[in-house]
Amino acid sequence: MDIEEFMNNVIARNPGEKEFHQAVKEVVESVQPVLKKHPEYENAKILERMVEPERQIVFRVPWMDDNGEVHVNRGFRIEFNSAIGPYKGGLRFHPSVYIGIIKFLGFEQIFKNSLTGLPIGGGKGGCDFNPKGKSDMEVMRFCQSFMSELFRHIGPNTDIPAGDIGVGGREIGFMFGQYKKLKNSYDSVLTGKGLNWGGSLVRPEATGYGAVYFAEEMLKTRNEAFEGKTVVVSGSGNVAQYAVQKVNQLGGKCVTLSDSSGYIHDPEGITGEKWDFIMELKNVKRGRIREYAEKFGCEYFEGMRPWGIKCDVALPCATQNEISLEEAKTLVANGCIAVSEGANMPTVPEAVDYFVESKILFGPAKAANAGGVATSALEMAQNHVGIPWSFEKVDEELHQIMINIHKNSWDAAKKYGHEGNLVIGANIAGFLKVADSMLDQGLV
Ligand code: NDP
């Protein structure tokens, strides 16, 4: 197929949505070896159908702050693809949210969810609301207003949202309460719920743990392990926090964390009471990462990202496009041998190419961070049966899922002539299951 023509069409039909174009281009390029071998996908216009969401919902979210002032935000839910299961994917609350961000995340989610081996389709949602600096009551009023529209579009067999940037346990709680009030039904309609009311053990840990399990599998292919490795982590939210905990358990040393204001460098490692401090700082006090440096007397770099710090492994866990080509070159020059993407699309395309060409181990987001959504599906399974599982059982399932994703991505890359390229492997493995299901289900 003519990739340029295909992309020109996607850009014309979705103007200004640059993150979406970026995500589509990577998949379209990756699956070319499959399309060459199997003309049935092109004949059925599978890719053309995949880039068009099944449904897009955009809605008004009015709410009132503590001073009685009215605010209006814009909410989104993109129900992208339900070929292999009900729509599943998180909600992001961040001022940068617009339809292009939600579409890139929803599109990625289709292939990620397919890779988990579980029956979940792709979707994503969110709002341009900024939770930073808002009181708990303001966040509650906002969440209630958001759910007052969203509730009519979701359901336990239709669409099951979860958290993402700016949406953690507090926000899921407020939204679940409102859903239940409106529907009078204790549906498994959100994941990431509190443990007392239907949540699953290991769900908070799952994305961070999963990204580290995935890195561990990559390291094994070169007879390496986390023991004794220096690890650079970006972000300091949910994914970063538990990535650090798992690296610590495996004998590695995490020396950085960041937020949108800057990063801290602690050469001694973020362990023990320092890790506890981060949990309290970010999840309870909702403070800034600079306070860690003030408390423990290490360096803080305002307005910078941590990729200049020498490391063996890098775990980007903050946001999209946070590793530039220059930063990728610095990482490799400093001896970094593995990058596992905890965040979604954190590496710009040129930097991805550079990592691949440099033959370092590179775990793309849709494979490396799939542990979160996989454990969300395990939460749904527990809700449907009505019986919670132990921490050990969920963790074991998560670990096995990450091992399988690595193996399936590796095998697909090899089968289609790109051995060791997990970007191509993950895209192909994710694509095939969805594409075959779409063929089976006819022109819908
Ligand atoms: P959180 O809101 O818990 O944390 C986000 C972290 O990233 C914060 O430290 C935040 O800093 C930082 N950050 C956010 N936006 C920017 C920005 N524009 N520039 C620099 N730093 C930024 O989110 P999560 O940890 O849940 O999500 C992190 C990433 O992981 C996202 O890409 C998300 O899509 C992805 N992901 C999350 C999953 C989950 O289960 N939670 C599942 C799969 C992927 P600050 O506080 O200053 O904004």
Side-chain angles (χ1 to χ4, degrees), residues 90-96 104-105 109 112 124 130-132 162-168 203-208 234-241 257-262 282-283 286-289 304-305 316-322 341-346 365 368-374 376:
L91 298 169
R92 175 176 292 191
F93 294 166
H94 193 271
S96 64
F104 118 64
L105 291 163
Q109 200 81 43
K112 179 188 308 195
K124 198 83 189 186
N130 186 0
K132 244 177 251 163
D164 190 80
I165 290 178
V167 179
R203 179 60 191 90
E205 291 87 346
T207 309
S234 67
S236 49
N238 172 263
V239 180
Q241 292 160 11
L257 279 173
S258 70
D259 59 22
S260 52
S261 311
K282 285 294 173 181
N283 305 338
R286 301 179 192 277
R288 307 307 297 160
I289 199 70
M304 287 174 71
R305 300 192 287 224
C317 297
T319 192
Q320 64 276 354
N321 294 330
E322 55 164 324
E341 294 187 325
N344 280 314
M345 211 166 74
N369 74 27
V373 73
S376 275

Side-chain angles (χ1 to χ4, degrees), residues 265-283:
H265 179 212
D266 183 349
E268 305 301 317
I270 301 155
T271 54
E273 62 154 329
K274 295 175 180 172
W275 186 81
D276 296 341
F277 177 84
I278 288 288
M279 297 302 280
E280 172 84 10
L281 176 70
K282 285 294 173 181
N283 305 338

Side-chain angles (χ1 to χ4, degrees), residues 80-282:
F80 228 117
N81 193 303
S82 63
I84 64 168
Y87 313 106
K88 178 96 199 91
L91 298 169
R92 175 176 292 191
F93 294 166
H94 193 271
S96 64
V97 162
Y98 76 108
I99 198 155
I101 293 269
I102 302 299
K103 274 164 79 174
F104 118 64
L105 291 163
F107 184 72
E108 292 267 302
Q109 200 81 43
I110 302 169
F111 309 98
K112 179 188 308 195
N113 292 4
S114 166
L115 282 170
T116 66
L118 299 166
I120 38 181
K124 198 83 189 186
C127 191
D128 57 1
F129 172 72
N130 186 0
K132 244 177 251 163
K134 304 288 186 303
S135 70
D136 285 350
M137 286 304 101
E138 287 173 331
V139 170
M140 183 183 79
R141 286 195 292 275
F142 167 79
C143 287
Q144 290 177 339
S145 178
F146 185 83
M147 186 51 83
S148 296
E149 174 58 35
L150 187 67
F151 86 100
R152 70 188 91 250
H153 307 289
I154 62 177
N157 293 310
T158 307
D159 185 357
I160 308 95
D164 190 80
I165 290 178
V167 179
R170 174 181 63 168
E171 291 76 15
I172 294 287
F174 292 148
M175 287 190 279
F176 185 68
Q178 184 72 356
Y179 175 89
K180 193 158 53 68
K181 184 179 168 100
L182 292 166
K183 293 287 280 228
N184 190 24
S185 182
Y186 213 100
D187 296 334
S188 178
V189 77
L190 287 164
T191 55
K193 299 188 288 297
L195 274 183
N196 289 332
W197 40 278
S200 172
L201 286 161
V202 195
R203 179 60 191 90
E205 291 87 346
T207 309
Y209 278 21
V212 175
Y213 289 146
F214 193 87
E216 202 184 15
E217 290 309 299
M218 294 198 295
L219 289 170
K220 276 187 202 161
T221 65
R222 305 217 174 145
N223 293 321
E224 294 276 3
F226 268 103
E227 184 70 44
K229 297 273 186 302
T230 298
V231 181
V232 161
V233 182
S234 67
S236 49
N238 172 263
V239 180
Q241 292 160 11
Y242 288 103
V244 170
Q245 185 180 59
K246 184 51 73 180
V247 169
N248 288 341
Q249 289 169 6
L250 296 176
K253 185 166 75 172
C254 295
V255 296
T256 64
L257 279 173
S258 70
D259 59 22
S260 52
S261 311
Y263 80 91
I264 57 108
H265 179 212
D266 183 349
E268 305 301 317
I270 301 155
T271 54
E273 62 154 329
K274 295 175 180 172
W275 186 81
D276 296 341
F277 177 84
I278 288 288
M279 297 302 280
E280 172 84 10
L281 176 70
K282 285 294 173 181

